[in-house]
Amino acid sequence: MSRPRNLADQQQRLSEATWSVLTERGLPGLTLRAVAERAGCTTGLVMHAFPTKEALLLHARDLLHSRTGEQLDAAEGATETPEEALRAVMLDAMSLDEVSVDEARVWISYLAAALADPALAERHVTGNRRLIARVTRLVQACRPGWSPDRARTEALSLISLADGANTLSTLDPETYSPGVQRRMMTDAIDRMLASDTPAEPAPAPALAPSVEAVSTTPDVETGAARIRPFEASDTEAVVALWGACGLTRPWNDPRKDIARKLTTQPELFLVAESEGALVGTAMAGYDGHRGWVNYLAVDPSAQGRGLGRILMAEVERRLEAQGCPKVNLQIREGNEPVMGFYRTLGYTRDGAVSFGKRLIPDV
């Protein structure tokens, strides 16, 4: 069992050497020989751990993303309010000390390499979209009354400011000093949080689209329903709906499931209203890799009108807006009608077995 562990240690050491070479020499100076010299080993050992330069770059990129993610987790976890968390995360993403300056140099080198390397480009886009999702969540927590679209637009503005400052500061650290960068970001956040007007005109409210806005399916009764985010006052109606649709189980407390969801991406917990009554729900989430859908339900009295399709269309729209590349969901074995429904929406059965482990018992 020691060999895999030694290989992993070697790969980590070589990835760290890669960062060091990129910091000093940039991408043109990155060779397997240079990495071997920096790591104090032979070129043969480098090639044993990584058969190609691309494999070395990919591993080093993934390891760097993992470490920066841990740093952002720590920055966010050390705060007590959403606004403090937003400021801490965005400042942590800037070049304010020697370590973060080096990380910015490495990031720029990877960005340059990604322009001609699809695999690196995919890693770069995935990492950036995870940051977008994190900052969007924090902006939404600071201003829960804002629409998801506005929260994401504001997040993109802050991230663009950080990336621009990081890039320019590597070439002109005198102009873009740590103090200047800090003021730029804190002022931008202050302006954003003090603003009560939309960042740009929006053609329609994002939180409560009408049936017409999300679907043109002929069998939908125009104006019969609207989709909006869940509100606390909906709790009992939602629990009753889930019970009527057979979604509740003794080992899952629906009220606890609702309470948990309200702490994470509440904008992805949607309900459908028709004539003042709650007739549908869809609870979704995005973990930075895959989107998930749970508790899709339509009141039996309202089924057959396309509301399930409308809810799923809105869920998919919101997940895609967060950069989600694929949606997963689980269906209990033998539930052929539900499987047929999702097939009509373009979903296919994955060749995977679902495993689960309960960490907190509900009963």
Side-chain angles (χ1 to χ4, degrees), residues 230-249:
F230 170 90
E231 298 173 356
S233 58
D234 299 322
T235 298
E236 295 309 314
V238 167
V239 172
L241 173 63
W242 289 351
C245 294
L247 298 184
T248 57
R249 293 294 185 272

Side-chain angles (χ1 to χ4, degrees), residues 8-316:
D9 291 343
Q10 291 172 1
Q11 290 177 330
Q12 177 170 326
R13 183 159 59 94
L14 292 172
S15 288
E16 292 171 348
T18 300
W19 302 338
S20 180
V21 173
L22 286 173
T23 298
E24 294 184 4
R25 308 182 188 180
L27 189 62
L30 182 69
T31 63
L32 296 182
R33 182 184 298 277
V35 172
E37 291 175 353
R38 186 56 52 91
C41 65
T42 65
T43 305
L45 191 148
V46 177
M47 297 185 68
H48 169 72
F50 299 103
T52 65
K53 179 179 174 180
E54 181 187 46
L56 173 62
L57 276 169
L58 287 174
H59 184 274
R61 175 67 181 87
D62 289 345
L63 185 60
L64 178 63
H65 177 72
S66 176
R67 289 195 176 183
T68 54
E70 292 172 359
Q71 292 170 8
L72 294 178
D73 286 341
E76 183 177 345
T79 61
E80 296 183 356
T81 68
E83 292 190 11
E84 290 176 355
L86 177 63
R87 295 177 191 279
V89 165
M90 293 313 306
L91 289 175
D92 192 83
M94 302 190 78
S95 305
L96 303 182
D97 54 34
E98 185 175 347
V99 173
S100 57
V101 168
D102 287 346
E103 289 177 348
R105 289 180 177 274
V106 174
W107 180 87
I108 293 170
S109 296
Y110 276 118
L111 180 60
L115 295 176
D117 188 323
L120 270 176
E122 181 183 3
R123 294 290 212 287
H124 222 72
V125 170
T126 298
N128 185 58
R129 288 180 176 176
R130 288 177 181 170
L131 178 60
I132 292 171
R134 179 194 292 268
V135 179
T136 299
R137 170 174 56 79
L138 292 175
V139 171
Q140 190 81 71
C142 291
R143 293 295 182 267
W146 287 356
S147 72
D149 286 345
R150 178 178 180 185
R152 189 170 189 272
T153 298
E154 299 287 3
L156 290 174
S157 297
L158 294 178
I159 293 170
S160 298
L161 173 61
D163 286 348
N166 286 336
T167 301
L168 294 170
S169 66
T170 62
L171 300 175
D172 188 1
E174 181 178 353
T175 299
Y176 296 91
S177 66
V180 169
Q181 290 187 62
R182 183 181 293 275
R183 287 197 301 274
M184 288 167 58
M185 181 57 68
T186 55
D187 288 350
I189 293 175
D190 287 343
R191 288 193 299 270
M192 181 197 75
L193 296 179
S195 174
D196 291 325
T197 58
E200 58 184 22
L207 290 180
S210 65
V211 168
E212 300 95 319
V214 294
S215 176
T216 57
T217 305
D219 60 356
V220 173
E221 295 182 14
T222 302
R226 70 185 183 105
I227 311 300
R228 62 168 176 80
F230 170 90
E231 298 173 356
S233 58
D234 299 322
T235 298
E236 295 309 314
V238 167
V239 172
L241 173 63
W242 289 351
C245 294
L247 298 184
T248 57
R249 293 294 185 272
W251 54 86
N252 275 353
D253 185 327
R255 292 175 180 81
K256 289 183 179 179
D257 279 352
I258 290 172
R260 292 177 184 125
K261 181 57 187 171
L262 294 182
T263 67
T264 305
Q265 299 174 326
E267 72 278 5
L268 294 179
F269 185 8
L270 306 178
V271 299
E273 271 188 343
S274 177
E275 298 180 353
L278 193 147
V279 294
T281 66
M283 181 187 289
Y286 177 45
D287 59 18
H289 176 63
R290 291 289 183 259
W292 289 88
V293 181
N294 297 287
Y295 285 118
L296 177 68
V298 175
D299 189 280
S301 66
Q303 291 177 7
R305 293 157 49 187
L307 293 181
R309 290 175 176 270
I310 294 171
L311 281 162
M312 286 300 297
E314 180 63 10
V315 163
E316 291 173 3

